[in-house]
Amino acid sequence: MTGFAITPALREAIYRYASFKQTPVSLRQMVQFGPNPSPGSIFLASQFICEELPIRLAKKVKDLESAPFGLNEMPSTLKVRDWYAQSFAELTSVPQPKVSEELAKLLSSGDTTEPIPPPEEATTPQEVVDDMPPYADDGIVLKRHHPSRSGSGIDDESSPTYGLKYYTPCPANIVWPKEVYDYNKQVNDALTKIKKRHDATVATMAQGVQEWKQKNSKVLVNSQIQAFLDKFYLSRIGIRMLIGQHIALNMAQASPTRQRISSFFNGAGGGKGKSNYVGVICTDCNVADICQDAIETASYICEDFYGLIEGPEIQLITSSEDISFMYVPGHLIHMLFETLKNSLRATIEFHTPRLKQKMVEENPKLQLKDIDINDLKYPPIKVIISEGSEDIAIKISDEGGGIASSQVPLIWTYLYTTVNETPSLESDENSSSFKAPMAGFGYGLPISRLYAQYFGGDLKLISMEGYGTDVYLHLNRLSSSSEPLP
């Protein structure tokens, strides 16, 4: 166990925060900081993070405590719950900074509309924000509103972040007071610690599901647990995205040298010398380049696993090498990598016995055991990129024998795998997020589909048993969708 105990007072606070509504953040809003974010904008974003993330963390604790069919009682589930509770406690204990009249004016001076001067007695950033004018985000005009935080009377229709947004414009070329940098560092340090704590959440929660299956002698996860896990992991993606983006923005703001290096290596095309990364988001993400990275990584894992000198050929087909859009490269490469691993494994395991048998038939002197797998010629896997006005589609097509119709729905269920021996899911707080082998966890496709859906896309599969499978990855290129929050 974690050694962390949820006290009655902490549980009361968690359930109070869990009753608030979450505030979605769009991809477009996340990139408004630009490659060189203002310390003031990060300061206001840090306040948003310290209000919004506790709501999301609290909902995770509450959901885990009410997980269906006894899943909430599994040791690994309780471990994950305690991680979220501990992170909630740490983030809500970050003290609010004091804001002087001078700082209040600086924070409000970056608004694109006429600023409303903050009140003279304003002592907290929230009081400053309350007196700022309405703002527009993605074409929707909203008015700022913050419910009273005194006493226990909280508007049931809102939350501490209702009417607020992650990005607020602030001037870039001014000298910010020390308290801005101190607060930004304090929040960044807390988030870095929290991010590391939760690196093992996917594998640990998978262990909890495995414990549940063993205790209940179940082969498959039922629909209610499947729905719970979909919601759980989709919410986790949102939390990780906010944390990862905020840490990356802090790193960019704190290291001008790193920014110059990033500008040199990341798209200083046309001599502009401008980085195309804002935090973890690439504003000009080249799809072919990401596909090539995923191809090389999946091929390496495949060759190492099967002892191949060279794995099956993966052909990249695209109408243009310059298909680019705004996206999170880490999400895209994860989805492509997991899908390509499946295609490589299916191709090798479906064709190896057939190709060996064919060689024996053509040369009767050969024996099956004497044929080296490196002498076999596998059919290629095709990765096809298509660009539309609304989305970018990537089709991964293999000839790996396909999937029986009755099995297709099962591939989207957690811990379903065709591998005979499932790798160990044992994990600890210091392990990485998800060190998957060639296959065996049964998490690759379900998690990949959630990554696609997080920013308005989807992942679909069509199979021809006896021939092969086509996987279609649709990505929303408009970058206007907000997080799918429950």
Side-chain angles (χ1 to χ4, degrees), residues 279-293:
V280 298
I281 301 167
C282 181
T283 57
D284 191 29
C285 183
N286 187 287
V287 181
D289 288 349
I290 298 294
C291 285
Q292 192 59 50
D293 286 345

PDB file of all heavy atoms in Angstrom, residues 279-293:
ATOM      1  N   GLY A 279       4.143  24.016 -25.264  1.00  0.00           N
ATOM      2  CA  GLY A 279       4.030  22.942 -24.284  1.00  0.00           C
ATOM      3  C   GLY A 279       4.228  21.601 -24.968  1.00  0.00           C
ATOM      4  O   GLY A 279       5.203  21.380 -25.686  1.00  0.00           O
ATOM      5  N   VAL A 280       3.264  20.685 -24.775  1.00  0.00           N
ATOM      6  CA  VAL A 280       3.356  19.361 -25.403  1.00  0.00           C
ATOM      7  C   VAL A 280       2.610  19.319 -26.734  1.00  0.00           C
ATOM      8  O   VAL A 280       2.541  18.272 -27.374  1.00  0.00           O
ATOM      9  CB  VAL A 280       2.799  18.268 -24.461  1.00  0.00           C
ATOM     10  CG1 VAL A 280       3.607  18.194 -23.185  1.00  0.00           C
ATOM     11  CG2 VAL A 280       1.323  18.517 -24.144  1.00  0.00           C
ATOM     12  N   ILE A 281       2.047  20.446 -27.144  1.00  0.00           N
ATOM     13  CA  ILE A 281       1.253  20.512 -28.372  1.00  0.00           C
ATOM     14  C   ILE A 281       2.100  21.045 -29.512  1.00  0.00           C
ATOM     15  O   ILE A 281       2.798  22.057 -29.354  1.00  0.00           O
ATOM     16  CB  ILE A 281       0.018  21.418 -28.178  1.00  0.00           C
ATOM     17  CG1 ILE A 281      -0.858  20.887 -27.041  1.00  0.00           C
ATOM     18  CG2 ILE A 281      -0.796  21.518 -29.461  1.00  0.00           C
ATOM     19  CD1 ILE A 281      -1.905  21.864 -26.566  1.00  0.00           C
ATOM     20  N   CYS A 282       2.045  20.383 -30.643  1.00  0.00           N
ATOM     21  CA  CYS A 282       2.730  20.854 -31.841  1.00  0.00           C
ATOM     22  C   CYS A 282       1.699  21.552 -32.722  1.00  0.00           C
ATOM     23  O   CYS A 282       0.687  20.953 -33.095  1.00  0.00           O
ATOM     24  CB  CYS A 282       3.378  19.695 -32.598  1.00  0.00           C
ATOM     25  SG  CYS A 282       4.281  20.200 -34.071  1.00  0.00           S
ATOM     26  N   THR A 283       1.945  22.814 -33.017  1.00  0.00           N
ATOM     27  CA  THR A 283       0.985  23.581 -33.815  1.00  0.00           C
ATOM     28  C   THR A 283       1.084  23.258 -35.301  1.00  0.00           C
ATOM     29  O   THR A 283       0.226  23.658 -36.078  1.00  0.00           O
ATOM     30  CB  THR A 283       1.209  25.089 -33.619  1.00  0.00           C
ATOM     31  OG1 THR A 283       2.563  25.412 -33.968  1.00  0.00           O
ATOM     32  CG2 THR A 283       0.956  25.481 -32.173  1.00  0.00           C
ATOM     33  N   ASP A 284       2.125  22.543 -35.681  1.00  0.00           N
ATOM     34  CA  ASP A 284       2.324  22.172 -37.085  1.00  0.00           C
ATOM     35  C   ASP A 284       2.833  20.740 -37.137  1.00  0.00           C
ATOM     36  O   ASP A 284       3.923  20.452 -37.620  1.00  0.00           O
ATOM     37  CB  ASP A 284       3.315  23.132 -37.742  1.00  0.00           C
ATOM     38  CG  ASP A 284       3.371  22.963 -39.260  1.00  0.00           C
ATOM     39  OD1 ASP A 284       2.353  22.560 -39.856  1.00  0.00           O
ATOM     40  OD2 ASP A 284       4.444  23.222 -39.835  1.00  0.00           O
ATOM     41  N   CYS A 285       2.012  19.832 -36.621  1.00  0.00           N
ATOM     42  CA  CYS A 285       2.399  18.430 -36.463  1.00  0.00           C
ATOM     43  C   CYS A 285       2.373  17.718 -37.816  1.00  0.00           C
ATOM     44  O   CYS A 285       1.312  17.545 -38.419  1.00  0.00           O
ATOM     45  CB  CYS A 285       1.440  17.757 -35.484  1.00  0.00           C
ATOM     46  SG  CYS A 285       1.822  16.052 -35.108  1.00  0.00           S
ATOM     47  N   ASN A 286       3.535  17.304 -38.312  1.00  0.00           N
ATOM     48  CA  ASN A 286       3.634  16.629 -39.594  1.00  0.00           C
ATOM     49  C   ASN A 286       3.248  15.167 -39.428  1.00  0.00           C
ATOM     50  O   ASN A 286       3.935  14.402 -38.748  1.00  0.00           O
ATOM     51  CB  ASN A 286       5.047  16.756 -40.155  1.00  0.00           C
ATOM     52  CG  ASN A 286       5.162  16.218 -41.562  1.00  0.00           C
ATOM     53  OD1 ASN A 286       5.136  15.007 -41.781  1.00  0.00           O
ATOM     54  ND2 ASN A 286       5.286  17.108 -42.534  1.00  0.00           N
ATOM     55  N   VAL A 287       2.140  14.772 -40.044  1.00  0.00           N
ATOM     56  CA  VAL A 287       1.590  13.437 -39.835  1.00  0.00           C
ATOM     57  C   VAL A 287       2.526  12.354 -40.369  1.00  0.00           C
ATOM     58  O   VAL A 287       2.723  11.314 -39.735  1.00  0.00           O
ATOM     59  CB  VAL A 287       0.196  13.327 -40.499  1.00  0.00           C
ATOM     60  CG1 VAL A 287      -0.395  11.937 -40.270  1.00  0.00           C
ATOM     61  CG2 VAL A 287      -0.742  14.385 -39.946  1.00  0.00           C
ATOM     62  N   ALA A 288       3.126  12.589 -41.540  1.00  0.00           N
ATOM     63  CA  ALA A 288       4.023  11.589 -42.123  1.00  0.00           C
ATOM     64  C   ALA A 288       5.237  11.350 -41.234  1.00  0.00           C
ATOM     65  O   ALA A 288       5.679  10.204 -41.059  1.00  0.00           O
ATOM     66  CB  ALA A 288       4.460  12.031 -43.520  1.00  0.00           C
ATOM     67  N   ASP A 289       5.772  12.408 -40.647  1.00  0.00           N
ATOM     68  CA  ASP A 289       6.928  12.260 -39.763  1.00  0.00           C
ATOM     69  C   ASP A 289       6.578  11.443 -38.525  1.00  0.00           C
ATOM     70  O   ASP A 289       7.357  10.580 -38.089  1.00  0.00           O
ATOM     71  CB  ASP A 289       7.451  13.637 -39.341  1.00  0.00           C
ATOM     72  CG  ASP A 289       8.165  14.371 -40.471  1.00  0.00           C
ATOM     73  OD1 ASP A 289       8.443  13.729 -41.507  1.00  0.00           O
ATOM     74  OD2 ASP A 289       8.427  15.582 -40.318  1.00  0.00           O
ATOM     75  N   ILE A 290       5.403  11.726 -37.942  1.00  0.00           N
ATOM     76  CA  ILE A 290       4.980  10.969 -36.761  1.00  0.00           C
ATOM     77  C   ILE A 290       4.753   9.504 -37.123  1.00  0.00           C
ATOM     78  O   ILE A 290       5.132   8.597 -36.367  1.00  0.00           O
ATOM     79  CB  ILE A 290       3.697  11.582 -36.162  1.00  0.00           C
ATOM     80  CG1 ILE A 290       3.958  13.014 -35.690  1.00  0.00           C
ATOM     81  CG2 ILE A 290       3.185  10.719 -35.011  1.00  0.00           C
ATOM     82  CD1 ILE A 290       4.920  13.134 -34.548  1.00  0.00           C
ATOM     83  N   CYS A 291       4.133   9.264 -38.278  1.00  0.00           N
ATOM     84  CA  CYS A 291       3.920   7.889 -38.736  1.00  0.00           C
ATOM     85  C   CYS A 291       5.246   7.160 -38.899  1.00  0.00           C
ATOM     86  O   CYS A 291       5.380   5.989 -38.511  1.00  0.00           O
ATOM     87  CB  CYS A 291       3.150   7.876 -40.056  1.00  0.00           C
ATOM     88  SG  CYS A 291       1.388   8.244 -39.917  1.00  0.00           S
ATOM     89  N   GLN A 292       6.227   7.841 -39.466  1.00  0.00           N
ATOM     90  CA  GLN A 292       7.533   7.218 -39.670  1.00  0.00           C
ATOM     91  C   GLN A 292       8.195   6.871 -38.350  1.00  0.00           C
ATOM     92  O   GLN A 292       8.790   5.804 -38.195  1.00  0.00           O
ATOM     93  CB  GLN A 292       8.431   8.150 -40.487  1.00  0.00           C
ATOM     94  CG  GLN A 292       9.714   7.499 -40.996  1.00  0.00           C
ATOM     95  CD  GLN A 292       9.446   6.297 -41.889  1.00  0.00           C
ATOM     96  OE1 GLN A 292       8.661   6.369 -42.833  1.00  0.00           O
ATOM     97  NE2 GLN A 292      10.095   5.184 -41.590  1.00  0.00           N
ATOM     98  N   ASP A 293       8.065   7.763 -37.363  1.00  0.00           N
ATOM     99  CA  ASP A 293       8.607   7.469 -36.035  1.00  0.00           C
ATOM    100  C   ASP A 293       7.939   6.240 -35.424  1.00  0.00           C
ATOM    101  O   ASP A 293       8.609   5.376 -34.836  1.00  0.00           O
ATOM    102  CB  ASP A 293       8.398   8.674 -35.103  1.00  0.00           C
ATOM    103  CG  ASP A 293       9.334   9.827 -35.417  1.00  0.00           C
ATOM    104  OD1 ASP A 293      10.320   9.606 -36.152  1.00  0.00           O
ATOM    105  OD2 ASP A 293       9.084  10.950 -34.944  1.00  0.00           O
TER     106      ASP A 293
END
